[in-house]
Amino acid sequence: MNPKRRIALISRLANGIGYIATDFERFGGLFVQALLELPLDHRGLNLLGYPVAGVVDTTNGDGKVAVEYSDRKDYFSGDMDKARGDLAHALAGAPTAEKIFLLSGQPSRPQVAQEFGRAMLDLPEMEGKTLYLWGAVEIATQLVDHLILSDAVVRRLSPYLPDLERIREEEAASRMVPEPLSSWLPRDDIDMAIAERLRQKPVLAIGGVGGVGKTATVQAFAHRHQDDYEVRIWLDGDELRRVDDLQAVPLLRAGESRNVVGLMQTLRCLLVIDDAPANLDMTALERICGKGTHVLLTQRSTDAQSFDLPMLDRLQSSALLGLAPVKCPEAVFDKIWGTVKGHPLTLSLILAAVNEGATWEDILEDCEVIGDMEVGGRRLTDVLLERLRPSLTKELSVFAWSGLPVCDEDFLSFAIKPLGIRKLKGNSLTAPDRNRAVRLHDVVHASLDGSWCTNERSVELEHLLDTYLVEASRGEGLDLWRNARVLLPKLEDMVARGGTPPSFLFALLTTWDALETRPELVGEPLEIVRRMAGRKPGPLEINMVIESIEQLFLYDKERHDPAAQDRLRERLAAFDKMLELPSLTLREIAELLHHKGKALKRLGDSSAAADLFEQVLSGPVPLHEARLQLVDLYKGQAEKETRATQLVDEMLGPGANTDGLTYSVLLGVIERLPSGSGRWRAALIDRHAASIEQTIVSAANAGAQHAFDAFAALGRYISLERPELFRSIFDGLPEVELERLQSDRERAARAEIFCEAARLSPASAVELREKARAHYLAIVKPMQFHHQRHAELLIDMGKPEDAETILRQQTSLDTEWLERLMARCRLGQGDADGALKWVNRALAKLGAERFRSEFLELRHDIRSALGEEDAVMDLEAAVAASQKENERLRLQRKLDDLRVGNFSPPFRS
């Protein structure tokens, strides 16, 4: 990196670190873990961000590392008393630590820090130990020099240090344009040919046989010509099905989201679409290119308009092999050239083989054995991979075992360690792919056969996967879900063959959407329990049966199977039979009681369900999930309000026991808060506002979809009652493109959020409502609630006639909610008489008292439009009925204005 650029980046990040403040310990823990590449135990904070007294903030498993964090402004002042106390605390709490890190979010004072370090290292208890005293600048230096190139690290740290994401994108030339490999040899002739073709036409497809270097060529072109473009953009081909999809692709520049098509038309852009669809319309791409904008595509298929990428010439091929530690003899090179010509991937594999210990005589023998290279170098790839077998069998066996070209980076790192991933990439075996995924080059993957994974290695990998899934199940579930998604075909195949550990089916059950469930793989839970009789259950075996019962019920329910509840009632016996199994852990007993309670709740037996949940909470393992279920049962009952409040405080309060308190549970309780009575929900939301915001934003940035569901439910209330809280959460959410949303649930949640955001942002209301509408229109199988909210959005957009069209397409309009919307539609179209009929019907049905004020206000507006003198009585009743503080104040102001003659009804008859 340019030295001046490096200094500027360090200064920029150091300044940002100083503003992290109370979240500094969370940030610091993630930073140290990324830097050391060790599993660490962060005990200094609980899940809600509250400090835990009496423990060293961070240690590792063998106690060789200890870390303390501080966001104190005066950390480097005076005698550095806080640092002295932190060091003493670390030495007392982790006496075997060999590396002690003291991290501060403030800029260090070099002389003061140096003198402190010398004094501390002279202490007898510091003998054999290393002290790292880092302030904001030192932390920023480590980030720039060692961590900024890691997508995973940037993703984890950027919620606390947003500049890190922005710098990462700037350094990667935006939208992740990958830099050329260090081994890439410049090809001036190709570069000039591409530039000349782009001068003639702004769009160029580059084709050629597999392994010829299409992706590497466009990487090199983008790097060499970076000064010719103001913006460079890199997209994977599977992000686009058609050119119109570019309209929905955003680009983050300078911290703002920009539309790609807009940039292409106003700035000089280079857009690269790697592995583009064969049917992409080149003419349409040309039409959206502004002056100086070019598009490069790599494609497997070619046509007359494509640039067919030639292989390396003799001189270039010789130069590539010249990177080997031992010079290639001329006679050997002649044989290689006669065999493979200039096929880049094959030459790279030859280079890798020599780097791993093969001799040039070995390569000569390979070339003589295989004869002429087949198209794409397939046969020689087989032979060269054989040369790499001694050093890469362990790494490539994972892909041979799974039968998939891609593997999640977390599990791959667990199976072959980070060094193994570096070996795959260093030997030119991988192709560019999305974050958190490692993909083999197609030619390499096609060359793997069963011999790369022996039966013994297959058994070992199954054991490693079992261990990984069991461990991942103890976390937030995101790692388990992501890996199970990638390995879904392999997991389904293994479970279908039978004899697999419970973790495999458990992973499928927690990953499948309801209608993806394959009942033939799940089996009958009662039969599974019968086979468990008399023995101790294995890891996740109890959980697997529990999830089986739940998933099969959801599968039946989604298919509208009338026998769904009957089957669930029959399977209740499975919980009692599992409770009779020997050697159950206290947690397993608690989970069985809890999930039996959930089943009873689904069957409508709320009283029995509540008794079981209370039993769990009074037992030795009080599950937070049971608290969540009780909140759901108690939130609407006046006599249970005190107990419900206590349960919420136990999960969201500063004294919460965070053992087993997952994001799923926290988000679940947040999602339920708005549905309680006015006083109950207002007090709880106010008391726990900081925890609510922290939980939603952190979970959303960690990739938890439930965060958006929870915010969508909560947002309908706080957008009006606590607008500042809504804005703060909304601003902290990550941008997600509509085309990347995979489920109707995700689309609906984001639509809801945009709707509520529009209420608070008059200047952006039109744009936000259009976004909301796009999300509603993208829902594949909309439910009645989605239609209802879509119609409400259209009314807010001034399109009551379109809203009425949606509503009248429903099978019936006999709920108070649909009738209320119909009243709004008719009022919006000037039909106050019709509106009054609809709102009267709606009020007659209304059962939820917390919404009565909204219905009465609407009737007041309708009756005012009809000129009825006593319409004010409805507004007075609305004030009395309101359970929301801000709503009641607004209604009172409206009533006061009406009484003094300052209020005009929306319509007059």
Side-chain angles (χ1 to χ4, degrees):
M1 185 183 293
N2 180 287
K4 291 183 179 179
R5 172 68 172 155
R6 175 177 176 272
I7 292 170
L9 293 182
I10 290 172
S11 176
R12 182 174 163 187
L13 288 176
N15 185 56
I17 289 169
Y19 285 103
I20 295 175
T22 54
D23 279 331
F24 179 71
E25 184 167 337
R26 285 186 182 277
F27 164 82
L30 294 169
F31 162 74
V32 173
Q33 186 149 354
L35 189 68
L36 300 183
E37 293 188 341
L38 291 173
L40 300 176
D41 186 9
H42 307 293
R43 298 181 179 180
L45 292 177
N46 64 28
L47 190 59
L48 293 175
Y50 298 112
V52 178
V55 300
V56 177
D57 290 339
T58 295
T59 57
N60 73 325
D62 59 8
K64 298 295 178 64
V65 174
V67 191
E68 290 283 338
Y69 313 91
S70 175
D71 64 344
R72 282 262 297 266
K73 300 288 185 185
D74 59 351
Y75 193 81
F76 291 98
S77 300
D79 291 332
M80 296 186 62
D81 292 337
K82 177 67 168 99
R84 292 175 188 274
D86 285 348
L87 179 59
H89 189 217
L91 289 170
T96 61
E98 298 173 355
K99 295 181 179 180
I100 299 176
F101 292 80
L102 302 182
L103 269 57
S104 167
Q106 302 305 308
S108 65
R109 299 169 59 192
Q111 276 188 315
V112 173
Q114 194 172 37
E115 290 173 7
F116 173 83
R118 279 198 296 264
M120 295 302 100
L121 288 173
D122 288 338
L123 296 173
E125 56 265 42
M126 286 296 292
E127 184 177 353
K129 302 180 188 296
T130 305
L131 176 64
Y132 300 87
L133 177 61
W134 289 349
V137 173
E138 289 78 15
I139 295 170
T141 301
Q142 296 294 323
L143 287 169
V144 170
D145 290 347
H146 302 293
L147 299 177
I148 203 168
L149 294 180
S150 168
D151 297 330
V153 171
V154 170
R155 184 172 54 253
R156 291 172 189 143
L157 296 183
S158 57
Y160 309 96
L161 189 57
D163 264 343
L164 192 62
E165 178 69 30
R166 295 170 190 151
I167 290 169
R168 166 63 175 148
E169 292 183 352
E170 291 164 9
E171 289 304 302
S174 187
R175 201 72 186 187
M176 301 307 300
V177 175
E179 294 300 305
L181 297 173
S182 58
S183 59
W184 176 255
L185 296 175
R187 302 180 68 181
D188 293 342
D189 55 335
I190 300 300
D191 187 85
M192 292 171 59
I194 293 173
E196 178 58 33
R197 292 283 292 271
L198 288 175
R199 275 191 286 270
Q200 298 169 19
K201 269 191 169 185
V203 179
L204 178 62
I206 296 177
V209 298
V212 78
K214 299 182 289 293
T215 297
T217 296
V218 294
Q219 283 177 324
F221 184 90
H223 178 69
R224 174 176 276 194
H225 293 270
Q226 57 186 312
D227 292 337
D228 296 339
Y229 302 99
E230 295 171 84
V231 180
R232 296 177 299 158
I233 307 164
W234 187 283
L235 300 178
D236 293 326
D238 59 3
E239 293 185 70
L240 301 175
R241 297 186 302 276
R242 56 190 183 277
V243 174
D244 288 347
D245 290 344
L246 278 172
Q247 294 282 358
V249 175
L251 177 74
L252 197 66
R253 292 295 285 176
E256 294 183 9
S257 184
R258 312 290 182 88
N259 180 272
V260 166
V261 172
L263 289 173
M264 292 173 66
Q265 293 172 343
T266 56
L267 300 176
R268 297 190 314 278
C269 296
L270 175 65
L271 171 64
V272 176
I273 307 175
D274 191 34
D275 199 12
N279 60 348
L280 209 57
D281 188 338
M282 302 295 180
T283 304
L285 276 174
E286 290 179 16
R287 283 198 296 267
I288 62 175
C289 289
K291 185 178 180 181
T293 287
H294 296 140
V295 180
L296 284 177
L297 306 92
T298 67
Q299 290 182 317
R300 302 180 191 186
S301 58
T302 60
D303 57 33
Q305 302 300 315
S306 301
F307 179 77
D308 200 4
L309 189 64
M311 296 191 188
L312 301 177
D313 61 26
R314 185 181 177 96
L315 187 61
Q316 292 164 335
S317 301
S318 177
L320 179 58
L321 295 182
L323 297 173
V326 179
K327 180 177 172 57
C328 178
E330 193 65 30
V332 175
F333 178 75
D334 288 341
K335 183 62 177 177
I336 293 171
W337 177 253
T339 304
V340 305
K341 297 296 187 288
H343 188 254
L345 178 62
T346 307
L347 292 171
S348 296
L349 289 175
I350 290 173
L351 177 62
V354 175
N355 286 337
E356 292 294 334
T359 66
W360 287 113
E361 288 74 17
D362 294 334
I363 302 301
L364 179 63
E365 181 181 330
D366 294 341
C367 292
E368 288 174 344
V369 168
I370 65 105
D372 291 335
M373 181 189 72
E374 293 185 358
V375 175
R378 172 70 188 278
R379 286 184 59 198
L380 187 55
T381 303
D382 296 340
V383 176
L384 290 170
L385 281 175
E386 284 299 320
R387 292 290 180 194
L388 297 174
R389 190 184 285 268
S391 62
L392 284 167
T393 295
K394 180 179 180 182
E395 290 75 17
L396 289 173
S397 66
V398 180
F399 297 91
W401 164 75
S402 71
L404 302 168
V406 64
C407 187
D408 185 85
E409 188 171 353
D410 283 350
F411 171 64
L412 195 61
S413 180
F414 180 78
I416 64 174
K417 310 304 179 196
L419 175 62
I421 296 176
R422 291 196 290 270
K423 284 170 65 179
L424 288 171
K425 293 180 178 180
N427 283 293
S428 304
L429 301 182
T430 61
D433 206 290
R434 298 183 183 280
N435 295 343
R436 304 181 79 101
V438 176
R439 178 178 294 275
L440 288 186
H441 197 289
D442 291 344
V443 175
V444 175
H445 183 250
S447 295
L448 296 180
D449 58 27
S451 68
W452 282 88
C453 187
T454 63
N455 290 334
E456 291 77 10
R457 176 61 170 161
S458 182
V459 170
E460 180 186 6
L461 285 169
E462 289 190 19
H463 175 70
L464 283 170
L465 181 59
D466 177 35
T467 303
Y468 177 85
L469 294 175
V470 170
E471 184 63 30
S473 72
R474 298 178 181 136
E476 289 302 316
L478 297 176
D479 289 341
L480 185 145
W481 182 91
R482 196 179 58 254
N483 279 274
R485 263 298 178 207
V486 172
L487 291 172
L488 194 67
K490 179 63 176 177
L491 283 166
E492 289 181 339
D493 178 65
M494 289 188 294
V495 171
R497 287 189 279 109
T500 52
S503 65
F504 289 10
L505 180 54
F506 176 78
L508 289 174
L509 289 163
T510 55
T511 304
W512 279 328
D513 286 336
L515 291 177
E516 289 181 315
T517 306
R518 293 176 57 182
E520 75 277 9
L521 298 186
V522 179
E524 173 49 54
L526 283 168
E527 180 57 34
I528 297 171
V529 172
R530 277 193 285 270
R531 294 197 297 269
M532 294 166 61
R535 63 172 177 82
K536 179 182 178 180
L540 290 183
E541 193 167 12
I542 292 289
N543 306 77
M544 179 264 288
V545 178
I546 288 171
E547 291 295 333
S548 296
I549 294 171
E550 178 154 331
Q551 192 71 5
L552 288 172
F553 172 74
L554 295 175
Y555 173 75
D556 289 342
K557 184 180 176 184
E558 286 294 316
R559 290 167 56 248
H560 304 290
D561 190 328
Q565 288 212 321
D566 291 338
R567 293 194 187 102
L568 179 60
R569 189 171 286 103
E570 290 172 6
R571 289 168 182 153
L572 274 177
F575 294 105
D576 297 325
K577 291 183 181 299
M578 285 189 285
L579 285 166
E580 297 171 359
L581 295 174
S583 305
L584 290 178
T585 66
L586 294 175
R587 174 165 289 276
E588 286 171 334
I589 294 171
E591 286 175 345
L592 284 168
L593 292 172
H594 167 72
H595 284 278
K596 182 180 179 182
K598 280 183 69 176
L600 287 168
K601 182 173 169 232
R602 282 185 165 128
L603 292 170
D605 195 345
S606 299
S607 176
D611 288 344
L612 281 177
F613 296 139
E614 292 285 11
Q615 183 180 337
V616 170
L617 293 184
S618 64
V621 184
L623 299 176
H624 287 293
E625 290 89 339
R627 290 188 174 90
L628 174 61
Q629 293 297 324
L630 285 171
V631 169
D632 201 32
L633 288 170
Y634 292 164
K635 64 182 185 295
Q637 302 179 37
E639 69 276 11
K640 294 290 187 179
E641 186 175 295
T642 301
R643 175 60 172 151
T645 300
Q646 177 190 1
L647 292 165
V648 174
D649 288 341
E650 288 172 358
M651 290 182 279
L652 293 179
N657 173 15
T658 58
D659 182 26
L661 185 56
T662 65
Y663 276 135
S664 177
V665 172
L666 286 170
L667 293 167
V669 72
I670 290 169
E671 193 172 4
R672 285 158 173 80
L673 289 180
S675 58
S677 66
R679 184 179 61 181
W680 181 81
R681 64 183 167 193
L684 284 172
I685 289 171
D686 287 345
R687 186 155 65 248
H688 300 300
S691 294
I692 289 168
E693 179 181 346
Q694 166 73 23
T695 300
I696 293 175
V697 173
S698 297
N701 281 284
Q705 161 56 26
H706 195 183
F708 294 91
D709 298 334
F711 186 41
L714 181 71
R716 290 191 288 273
Y717 174 78
I718 65 171
S719 65
L720 297 175
E721 293 298 305
R722 302 294 182 268
E724 291 307 315
L725 177 59
F726 183 97
R727 288 191 186 98
S728 186
I729 296 173
F730 183 76
D731 291 343
L733 298 179
E735 288 276 351
V736 182
E737 301 89 4
L738 174 57
E739 279 66 28
R740 292 197 172 192
L741 303 182
Q742 299 182 0
S743 71
D744 284 346
R745 175 181 158 194
E746 294 175 277
R747 299 177 190 106
R750 284 164 176 77
E752 289 272 298
I753 292 167
F754 285 128
C755 282
E756 298 308 318
R759 299 182 195 274
L760 300 181
S761 308
S764 306
V766 172
E767 178 187 354
L768 290 167
R769 283 172 177 149
E770 286 295 345
K771 284 186 176 181
R773 189 179 186 190
H775 282 71
Y776 279 127
L777 291 172
I779 295 175
V780 179
K781 296 180 179 178
M783 295 184 290
Q784 180 171 294
F785 181 70
H786 301 147
H787 289 303
Q788 176 183 320
R789 290 292 285 167
H790 187 187
E792 189 168 356
L793 170 66
L794 289 169
I795 296 170
D796 291 340
M797 295 173 75
K799 299 178 179 181
E801 62 283 352
D802 294 342
E804 183 168 345
T805 299
I806 289 178
L807 293 173
R808 289 196 180 278
Q809 289 172 348
Q810 305 309 299
T811 53
S812 62
L813 290 170
D814 60 354
T815 73
E816 60 266 48
W817 308 107
L818 294 176
E819 289 170 345
R820 176 180 177 274
L821 285 175
M822 280 297 297
R824 288 191 64 193
C825 289
R826 298 314 307 160
L827 181 63
Q829 296 174 76
D831 178 15
D833 286 315
L836 184 59
K837 294 175 183 177
W838 283 107
V839 77
N840 283 334
R841 288 165 59 181
L843 269 165
K845 290 188 177 76
L846 181 64
E849 286 300 311
R850 63 183 181 276
F851 295 109
R852 184 166 295 278
S853 55
E854 297 177 31
F855 283 63
L856 288 169
E857 182 186 13
L858 175 59
R859 190 166 70 175
H860 162 266
D861 292 344
I862 294 168
R863 293 179 65 197
S864 293
L866 290 169
E868 296 186 10
E869 292 184 2
D870 61 347
V872 68
M873 296 175 62
D874 279 333
L875 193 54
E876 292 170 344
V879 173
S882 178
Q883 295 185 12
K884 302 174 187 175
E885 178 185 355
N886 282 357
E887 180 193 64
R888 186 167 56 254
L889 291 173
R890 180 184 60 78
L891 291 172
Q892 186 62 55
R893 284 195 299 269
K894 184 174 177 178
L895 180 60
D896 294 341
D897 287 343
L898 187 65
R899 284 170 173 163
V900 298
N902 294 332
F903 177 77
S904 298
F907 296 95
R908 292 200 180 273
S909 56

